[in-house]
Amino acid sequence: MNPESYVADHVRGLPRSGIRDFFAIVSEMPHAISLGIGEPDFITPWKIREASIFALEKGRTSYTDNRGLLSLRKEISRYVSSFFGPDYDPADEILVTVGVSEAIDVSLRAILNPGDKVLYHEPCYVSYAPSVTLAFGEAIPVGTSPENSFALDPEAFERAWEPGCKVLLLNFPTNPTGGTADREKLERLANFAVEKDLIVISDEIYAELTYEGEHFSLASLPGMKERTLLLHGFSKAFAMTGFRVGFACGPDWLIDAMMKIHQYCMMCAPILSQEAAIEALTHGSPEVERMKEQYCRRRDFVVRRFNEMGLSCHLPRGSFYAFPEVAATGLNEVDFCHRLLREKEVAVVPGTAFGSHGKGHVRVSFSTSYENLVEATDRMESFLARLASEGKSEEAV
Ligand code: PLP
């Protein structure tokens, strides 16, 4: 018996997440400082946790409507309208999902026929290309570059377009680069989507964590609401990763198609998490602001330190990641991360874990304490000094 032959071809061919492998090593190192994990270091604000506890106490332990609690969908509608702009009908234009992860998967499965093409930018969140593959689509990466602070580049998308493209998959602010897009670029992307008749899946999960200017949603542009699926969730800004709750807002025909898959594979998001999500949307904004201030202070610190020590690093406009360039050290990004971890016990993630366009960079998450960032950047500086002295002794030989 060959067990491998029982695994579907398109699943067997999927790469393992580069991040998970790396962090299996980190978990064995008790003194390592991890700047690798893509989740807030803050505990979910107390009032939000309390809402879940109250719900449990009241015996709210059932399934919910497949679409999510109506009370939550109403709050989502209100919040999205005030924060992102467009109005969505809680009855049939909103689906509560098990995190944005589920929304990405279900939306691609609902839209793609085998072989349909998806344009997306790289470096990007690790699940995009695998999710397209799992939906039998073809993923077409479009690079963003450090010269433009990894901002979304409409012209690059226009050049990459080819017959068979059906979806434009975007994330801004972007994991892992902190890049984003200004209104002018978004307008050009919107025109491109209309001209090529593309459905846009717009993952705006880091929207509240925008430090430069205001977040501007693609769905709020004229003509875009009917062809855009806006994805958002509670994991990042509200520090609720473990609650596993997110949502999709979009045209009723698409939400309906997604519902068909969601009802069979998930049924509904956990009710206790949905109760917490209501509290997050109604009273959580001051806590979000408090956390955002901390992230912003940490961002300014790490970016300054990297540039001082000779690692060129653009200013991330949003998210909680910096994406410095390490190519100048003479090491590729994978060797850089492995040696930094072994020799200085600091964990950062190779940029290529987020696609080949992340070559020569590493992702540094500043969702850890300021003190940890001070210590980690000091260790990185002494690592760079060691690399430089190795370089000199090689020259001498
Ligand atoms: N989208 C992006 C861009 C992310 O960075 C992440 C998590 O890191 C997700 C989606 C998944 O979020 P969730 O916890 O809501 O599933």
Side-chain angles (χ1 to χ4, degrees):
M1 177 181 170
N2 172 14
E4 280 267 293
S5 68
Y6 294 99
V7 177
D9 295 344
H10 69 301
V11 175
R12 199 176 329 124
L14 278 185
R16 283 168 56 87
S17 162
I19 303 189
R20 294 282 156 246
D21 284 351
F22 198 67
F23 282 92
I25 307 174
V26 179
S27 65
E28 308 281 297
M29 301 176 71
H31 301 296
I33 300 180
S34 176
L35 308 182
I37 295 292
E39 70 177 317
D41 58 312
F42 298 104
I43 297 171
T44 309
W46 167 243
K47 285 281 178 198
I48 300 176
R49 284 183 276 153
E50 198 180 40
S52 227
I53 295 167
F54 278 161
L56 186 58
E57 231 172 36
K58 280 185 272 169
R60 308 245 317 138
T61 55
S62 61
Y63 293 132
T64 69
D65 185 305
N66 291 138
R67 289 173 189 268
L69 293 167
L70 182 59
S71 48
L72 173 56
R73 282 180 281 138
K74 283 183 177 164
E75 275 314 315
I76 291 172
S77 174
R78 184 197 56 75
Y79 182 83
V80 168
S81 169
S82 71
F83 189 85
F84 293 91
D87 291 321
Y88 292 98
D89 186 341
D92 54 10
E93 293 183 320
I94 296 173
L95 179 66
V96 177
T97 55
V98 178
V100 171
S101 303
E102 191 219 344
I104 294 167
D105 174 47
V106 169
S107 58
L108 289 168
R109 285 202 276 156
I111 296 169
L112 298 179
N113 284 311
D116 283 341
K117 295 173 186 167
V118 177
L119 286 166
Y120 69 104
H121 52 95
E122 244 193 35
C124 68
Y125 178 46
V126 290
S127 89
Y128 287 174
S131 298
V132 172
T133 305
L134 288 172
F136 300 101
E138 188 184 324
I140 303 186
V142 177
T144 54
S145 68
E147 294 77 44
N148 303 322
S149 302
F150 293 96
L152 300 185
D153 179 359
E155 288 162 44
F157 279 109
E158 287 160 13
R159 283 194 301 274
W161 181 88
E162 52 187 83
C165 285
K166 192 171 185 185
V167 172
L168 184 58
L169 172 56
L170 305 174
N171 163 231
F172 58 100
T174 306
N175 173 8
T177 61
T180 178
D182 57 26
R183 186 175 175 143
E184 198 188 316
K185 288 214 163 52
L186 289 175
E187 277 170 352
R188 186 152 172 186
L189 277 168
N191 289 341
F192 167 63
V194 172
E195 189 192 319
K196 299 297 184 192
D197 198 19
L198 301 170
I199 303 290
V200 182
I201 301 178
S202 192
D203 175 353
E204 301 180 28
I205 190 169
Y206 294 95
E208 291 90 343
L209 304 179
T210 297
Y211 312 111
E212 308 297 312
E214 301 270 294
H215 177 79
F216 190 81
S217 177
L218 202 70
S220 65
L221 286 170
M224 288 311 286
K225 193 185 151 202
E226 63 252 40
R227 62 172 65 245
T228 303
L229 188 70
L230 171 64
L231 306 186
H232 194 50
F234 299 87
S235 290
K236 309 296 176 175
F238 295 96
M240 292 172 65
T241 48
F243 283 82
R244 309 308 306 126
V245 60
F247 56 88
C249 300
D252 54 0
W253 56 267
L254 181 49
I255 294 293
D256 231 46
M258 289 170 66
M259 244 296 280
K260 287 188 184 167
I261 305 172
H262 168 83
Q263 70 188 352
Y264 293 124
C265 73
M266 244 6 125
M267 300 260 256
C268 62
I271 187 169
L272 299 179
S273 303
Q274 293 192 50
E275 295 282 0
I278 294 173
E279 173 63 24
L281 293 179
T282 45
H283 300 112
S285 293
E287 291 289 337
V288 170
E289 279 306 308
R290 188 181 58 78
M291 292 186 271
K292 180 178 163 185
E293 270 171 33
Q294 295 297 316
Y295 290 132
C296 192
R297 177 169 171 253
R298 298 166 183 182
R299 172 196 72 150
D300 292 346
F301 171 75
V302 289
V303 170
R304 177 173 59 75
R305 287 289 285 127
F306 288 146
N307 284 305
E308 276 171 2
M309 67 177 86
L311 295 180
S312 164
C313 185
H314 68 280
L315 191 69
R317 293 165 62 101
S319 79
F320 40 62
Y321 309 107
F323 205 60
E325 191 166 350
V326 296
T329 63
L331 295 179
N332 69 38
E333 66 289 341
V334 175
D335 292 343
F336 182 95
C337 292
H338 280 282
R339 278 195 58 182
L340 179 65
L341 182 60
R342 261 200 327 269
E343 295 173 32
K344 295 291 176 184
E345 303 208 341
V346 174
V348 297
V349 184
T352 37
F354 309 94
S356 59
H357 290 92
K359 195 169 160 35
H361 289 78
V362 297
R363 187 187 78 173
V364 176
S365 165
F366 45 86
S367 60
T368 186
S369 70
Y370 198 83
E371 295 67 35
N372 269 351
L373 291 171
V374 171
E375 173 62 24
T377 48
D378 285 349
R379 291 191 199 177
M380 286 175 83
E381 192 166 33
S382 90
F383 176 61
L384 293 185
R386 178 181 292 177
L387 291 180
S389 69
E390 280 173 13
K392 282 205 189 98
S393 50
E394 269 169 30
E395 269 171 34
V397 176

